[in-house]
Amino acid sequence: MTRSSSAPRRVRTATVFASAVLGVFVLGAGLAAWIGVRGAVAVQHLRSAEATVAAATADAQDPAGAIERLSDAAADTSAARSLTDDPIWSAAQALPWIGPQLAALSVTAAAVDDVASEAAPPLRTAAQLLAPDALRGPDGAIDVARVASAAPAVSDAAGVLQGAADRVSAIDAAPLLGSLASAVSSTSATLERAAADSDALRRATILFPRMLGADGPRSTLLLFQNNAEWRSLGGVVGAVAQVDSTEGHLALTAQASSGDFAAFAHDPALTLPDDVRGIFDTRPARYLQNTTQIPDFALGAQIAREMWRRTHGVDVDAVVAVDPVTLSYLLRATGPVTLPTGDELTADNAVPLLLDEVYRRFSDPRAQDAFFQSASSAVFQALVEGRGDPAALVDALTRAGAERRVLVWNADAADQSVLDGSTLQGALPASDGERTTIGVYLDDGTGSKMDYYLHPDIEAGWCGDDRVVVRVALRNGAPDPATLPAYVTGGGDYGVPVGDALTGVYVYLPRGAEVTARRTTSDDDTPSGFADGTHDGLPVVKWSVQLAPGRSGVLELDVRIPTTPRLDVVSTPTSDPTEVARTGACPTLEGAG
C-alpha cells in the first residue's frame, strides 16, 4: 500500500512542479511582453516628441510660435512617462542586463516630460513679455522694466531644464545597448544645450536691465579686440568707446584709439600681482593693447577702466570686449551698414575687411583705428535704431558668448556675480572634482598683424588613468611676405624676420598638475623655447615658437592630473570660428623630438 500510494504523490508533485515552472515561464513571458510592448510604444511617443521639439527649435524667427509647438510635445512625453512608470516596470529595473535599459528609458522619459510640461509654460510667459514689438517704446528706448519682469519665468524654466539635463547626463551609458546609448547621449546633449541657453537668457533678463540704466544712468566701456594680432582673450585692443545708457536709451558718447593712452608706457595704470608680472611683466598695465593679454578679463577690464578714468575723467560702470567676428554675427541680424568711406560692411566681408584689407589701404595706424571706430559705430547705431530681428540678435550674441568673443565685467560685485560660471566673465580655467579644464592662450610676439594668417590646431585627451596629453599645432599660412604691407609683417622692427611669426603659447593647467614630458617637432629648424610660471595657483607652461611662411610647429605636453569625468580645453578665439580647441581620444605626435 505504501509503494502504491507514493507513486501517485510523486506524479502529482512532479505535475505541480512542472505546472509551477510553466507558470513562471508563462508569467515571465507575459511580463516580458508587457514590458516590451510598453517600451516600444514609449519609444514611439518619445520619437514623436523629438520631431516636434526639433521643428520648434529650428524656427528661430518665431520664438513664441516655437514655444507653442514645444507645448504640443507634452502629450507624447506624458504618455511615454506613464508607460515607463508603473510598478512592474520599476520592479524589472532590478533585473540584470535588461534593468539598466529600462531605468535609462524611464529616467529619460521623465526628464523630457518635465521639460515639456514644466518648462514650456514659463517660457511661453517669457516669450510674451520679450516679444520684439513690445520691447521698444515709441521713443526707441528698450523697455527695461519689461525685460526685468521676464526674469522669474525664465529662472523657473532654466531650473527645470538644468534638473532634466543633470538627470539624463547622470545615466551610466556603459551597460546600454548601442541604439539606446546613442539616443540617451543625443537627448543629454539637447538638454544640456537647452539648459545653457535658458541659463544665458536668465542672466540676461537680470543683468541687461541694470546695464541699460533701469536703476539709474550707467556707462560702459567697449573694447574692440583685433584677432589679427593675438592676445590671450582674443586680440590687441585697438579702438575703444564709451556708451551711456539711461532707462533703455543708449548713446555713444566718446571714442578713442590705443595711441591715445601712450602716457601709461612708463606709468602703469595698476600694480599687477607678482604672479602675473612673473608671466607677462608689466605690459598689460602699460599698454591698452595688452589689457586682454592676461587670460582673466576681470583684471584686464579694471586696467582698461583705470586708463579711461585717467584720460577721460569717467569711472565707467562696466567694461565689455568684442571682436570683428562678433560684429559679423550681429550684421547677419541687422543687415549691411554703410561706412563713412562708402564701404558696405556685411556679415561676409566684416572679418577680411577689418583684419586684412584695412592694412592694405591705410599705412597710418590712426587711420586704421578710425576705420575700426567707424565700423563699430555703424553697427552700434544699427542696434540702437532697432534694426534686425531680435531673435537673430539673441542668436548672434549667444554664439559669440559661447565662443568667448563677448566678455563682460561689472564694477558692481552683485551685478558681476550674475555672470558667475559663464563664458562671458573670461575667467581663468576652473577645475573641480567633476571637470578638468585646461587653457591654451596665444599671444603675438612679432609686433605685427601676422596672426590673421596663423592657424592653430589645439586638442587634449586622456591617455591613461591620470595622464592627459595636450597638443598644440601652429601653421603659418601667410602668402609671399613681399605682397604684405610692412605694418602687417612688422617690417623686422622687433627682431623677427619679415614674414615670420613669433608666438607665445601659454598653457594653463589645473592646480596640482605635473608636467612629465615636453616634446616639440617642426618641419624645419623652427626656433622655440620654454618658460614656466604660476598664475593664481595654476601651473603655466609658456612655449615660444617662430614660424616662417608655410612652416609648422607642434608642442605636446604629457601632464599628470587626477582623473575626472569631464575634460575641457579652452583657447584664444581667432578670426576663424572653426578653429576651436577640442577634446577627444589621446592625441598623438609623430616624429616628436
Side-chain angles (χ1 to χ4, degrees):
M1 291 293 296
T2 303
R3 292 179 181 176
S4 61
S5 62
S6 64
R9 280 199 300 271
R10 286 197 297 271
V11 172
R12 287 195 298 273
T13 301
T15 300
V16 170
F17 178 76
S19 298
V21 171
L22 179 60
V24 169
F25 277 113
V26 170
L27 179 61
L31 290 175
W34 173 270
I35 292 171
V37 170
R38 291 174 72 87
V41 175
V43 168
Q44 290 177 354
H45 280 294
L46 287 176
R47 286 176 176 169
S48 176
E50 181 181 10
T52 302
V53 171
T57 55
D59 190 357
Q61 303 304 315
D62 182 17
I67 291 171
E68 287 299 328
R69 289 190 292 279
L70 182 63
S71 300
D72 295 340
D76 280 311
T77 60
S78 178
R81 185 173 196 162
S82 298
L83 289 164
T84 59
D85 192 29
D86 63 79
I88 295 175
W89 189 284
S90 298
Q93 293 180 21
L95 297 174
W97 185 76
I98 190 63
Q101 322 297 322
L102 302 180
L105 187 55
S106 178
V107 169
T108 302
V112 174
D113 184 47
D114 282 347
V115 171
S117 61
E118 298 179 22
L123 283 176
R124 186 185 305 111
T125 299
Q128 293 169 349
L129 290 170
L130 300 176
D133 294 341
L135 280 182
R136 284 190 179 272
D139 60 353
I142 298 172
D143 190 341
V144 289
R146 191 177 181 91
V147 174
S149 69
V154 175
S155 181
D156 289 344
V160 173
L161 282 162
Q162 190 59 61
D166 289 343
R167 296 204 304 277
V168 176
S169 67
I171 295 174
D172 183 5
L176 302 185
L177 295 173
S179 58
L180 181 58
S182 177
V184 169
S185 176
S186 176
T187 301
S188 179
T190 299
L191 290 175
E192 290 284 358
R193 286 194 299 271
D197 289 347
S198 63
D199 181 61
L201 184 59
R202 177 189 67 82
R203 298 173 194 262
T205 55
I206 295 172
L207 186 58
F208 280 5
R210 302 178 192 174
M211 293 185 67
L212 295 178
D215 304 323
R218 291 289 185 101
S219 57
T220 299
L221 185 66
L222 296 180
L223 310 179
F224 298 99
Q225 297 194 83
N226 185 328
N227 311 97
E229 186 174 351
W230 286 335
R231 292 297 182 264
S232 296
L233 295 177
V236 293
V237 177
V240 295
Q242 180 183 326
V243 176
D244 291 340
S245 53
T246 304
E247 296 182 347
H249 292 273
L250 300 176
L252 186 64
T253 55
Q255 290 184 281
S257 66
S258 57
D260 298 326
F261 299 85
F264 300 100
H266 303 291
D267 179 23
L270 289 179
T271 300
L272 299 178
D274 291 343
D275 55 354
V276 174
R277 289 203 310 274
I279 299 172
F280 301 106
D281 194 51
T282 59
R283 290 185 298 273
R286 291 189 289 119
Y287 301 99
L288 180 73
Q289 301 95 311
N290 292 336
T291 50
T292 52
Q293 185 175 26
I294 306 169
D296 180 2
F297 188 63
L299 180 53
Q302 291 178 69
I303 297 171
R305 181 194 190 216
E306 179 62 14
M307 288 182 173
W308 188 259
R309 185 189 69 79
R310 292 198 200 176
T311 55
H312 286 74
V314 178
D315 254 338
V316 296
D317 301 293
V319 181
V320 175
V322 297
D323 67 0
V325 179
T326 301
L327 295 184
S328 74
Y329 295 164
L330 293 173
L331 285 164
R332 294 198 182 281
T334 66
V337 296
T338 302
L339 306 184
T341 58
D343 292 284
E344 185 178 62
L345 191 67
T346 71
D348 294 326
N349 73 6
V351 171
L353 182 57
L354 295 174
L355 299 183
D356 182 37
E357 179 64 26
V358 64
Y359 302 116
R360 301 177 187 273
R361 292 193 196 179
F362 308 109
S363 58
D364 183 354
R366 287 190 173 273
Q368 298 161 5
D369 288 343
F371 191 84
F372 275 111
Q373 290 173 358
S374 67
S376 56
S377 297
V379 176
F380 175 80
Q381 189 60 38
L383 295 174
V384 169
E385 293 172 356
R387 290 175 53 184
D389 177 75
L393 289 173
V394 170
D395 286 344
L397 290 173
T398 298
R399 180 180 180 184
E403 294 176 3
R404 300 173 183 269
R405 299 183 185 279
V406 176
L407 305 173
V408 180
W409 174 82
N410 286 274
D412 184 278
D415 286 353
Q416 187 63 10
S417 67
V418 176
L419 299 176
D420 284 350
S422 74
T423 58
L424 296 177
Q425 284 188 320
L428 293 175
S431 300
D432 52 35
E434 295 297 318
R435 177 185 59 177
T436 294
T437 305
I438 294 169
V440 179
Y441 304 105
L442 309 171
D443 281 88
D444 170 75
T446 316
S448 71
K449 298 296 184 288
M450 288 295 294
D451 293 329
Y452 182 72
Y453 303 104
L454 255 63
H455 303 287
D457 183 16
I458 300 168
E459 60 180 326
W462 292 107
C463 298
D465 291 340
D466 62 350
R467 176 176 171 246
V468 169
V469 169
V470 182
R471 183 178 185 273
V472 181
L474 284 176
R475 177 175 61 85
N476 186 344
D480 182 349
T483 66
L484 298 174
Y487 188 81
V488 171
T489 65
D493 292 343
Y494 298 95
V496 179
V498 173
D500 282 17
L502 176 62
T503 305
V505 179
Y506 298 85
V507 182
Y508 275 63
L509 301 170
R511 288 177 175 80
E514 177 188 358
V515 178
T516 58
R518 313 168 191 229
R519 295 181 291 275
T520 62
T521 188
S522 65
D523 46 21
D524 63 2
D525 295 328
T526 300
S528 65
F530 287 102
D532 295 320
T534 303
H535 185 175
D536 196 25
L538 304 178
V540 181
V541 175
K542 179 187 177 183
W543 175 50
S544 297
V545 59
Q546 183 176 312
L547 299 171
R551 301 300 186 180
S552 300
V554 182
L555 164 71
E556 188 180 59
L557 295 179
D558 280 23
V559 187
R560 192 177 302 281
I561 302 173
T563 304
T564 58
R566 179 173 172 177
L567 176 65
D568 291 335
V569 57
V570 299
S571 63
T572 299
T574 71
S575 60
D576 184 348
T578 66
E579 294 173 343
V580 179
R582 63 192 186 278
T583 58
C586 179
T588 59
L589 177 66
E590 296 182 1

